[in-house]
Amino acid sequence: MNSEKQLKNELTENEKFKVTKEIVNKGYLNVDDIRKLNNWGRDKAKALFDMICEQEELTPLEIVAKKISVERYAKVNHLDFSKYKDKD
C-alpha cells in the first residue's frame, strides 16, 4: 500500500521535464520551486534552500527576493540543466 502511494507521488518523466524547464527558463528558484523540482515536502525544500544560502555568497537581489539563481542551484547540486534551456 505504501509503495502505491509513493508511485502516485512520483512525477512522470514528462511532468518533471515540464516543471524543470519552467524553472530553468524563469532563471531562479524559491523554496516552492525546489519543492516541486524534487517532489519534496516544504520543510525539506526549505532546509536545502537555507543550506545553499549559508554556503554561497548570495547577491543582494537574491537575499531580498528570497530566490537563488538556477545556475547557483545547479552548481551546488552538481546538476546540468542545459537540456532544459530553450534553444535560441
Side-chain angles (χ1 to χ4, degrees), residues 49 52-54 56-60 62-63 67-68 72:
F49 184 85
I52 293 171
C53 290
E54 287 171 17
E56 297 288 306
E57 200 170 306
L58 301 184
T59 65
E62 287 175 309
I63 294 166
K67 296 174 181 168
I68 53 177
R72 186 183 307 284

Side-chain angles (χ1 to χ4, degrees), residues 59-81:
T59 65
L61 183 61
E62 287 175 309
I63 294 166
V64 170
K66 289 190 168 57
K67 296 174 181 168
I68 53 177
S69 72
V70 169
E71 290 80 11
R72 186 183 307 284
Y73 180 82
K75 184 186 93 178
V76 168
N77 291 290
H78 309 289
L79 301 171
D80 177 13
F81 283 145

Side-chain angles (χ1 to χ4, degrees), residues 39-50:
N39 203 21
W40 288 348
R42 186 155 176 79
D43 291 345
K44 191 172 179 181
K46 176 91 170 86
L48 177 61
F49 184 85
D50 291 344

